[in-house]
Amino acid sequence: QAVKQSQWSQRQLKTDLRNALVTLDHAWASFEHKYISELIDIEEKARRLIVHAIEHERVLTNLEEEQFQKNADLEALLAVKEYEEVQKKLVRSIGHLNSVANTRRKGRD
């Protein structure tokens, strides 16, 4: 009788342990999924800031190339309204990048 009870207790213990491990595995997988999803979102937001700055820089470069192909001087380039607007956007985006990257909160925003 005692041997049968001991065997039943061991089986029950194994079943309980297996169930606990399955529950733990599901909880861990859920945690990992949420954690990795958040990391991907953070990375995407950071990349977006850099991409915006690159896009503004490309537009500036294209405007400069267009003007210099017309043999225009720097004054003519600076007179192009779009050039000034894009230049301001680039400066703002670089400033924003700097403020996000500045974890010690020193310097300008």
Side-chain angles (χ1 to χ4, degrees), residues 28-65:
W28 185 257
S30 176
F31 165 77
E32 281 183 326
H33 177 73
K34 290 176 185 175
Y35 178 75
I36 290 170
S37 294
E38 286 182 24
L39 286 177
I40 290 170
D41 289 344
I42 291 168
E43 183 181 342
E44 177 60 33
K45 288 176 185 175
R47 184 178 295 122
R48 194 174 315 132
L49 295 175
I50 294 169
V51 167
H52 284 235
I54 290 169
E55 288 171 354
H56 297 315
E57 195 278 331
R58 280 189 186 143
V59 172
L60 280 178
T61 300
N62 290 339
L63 289 170
E64 290 166 354
E65 288 173 358

Side-chain angles (χ1 to χ4, degrees), residues 92 94-100 102 105-109:
R92 276 195 303 268
I94 291 172
H96 185 63
L97 256 174
N98 184 48
S99 69
V100 170
N102 187 357
R105 301 316 240 179
K106 292 187 177 187
R108 298 188 182 133
D109 112 81

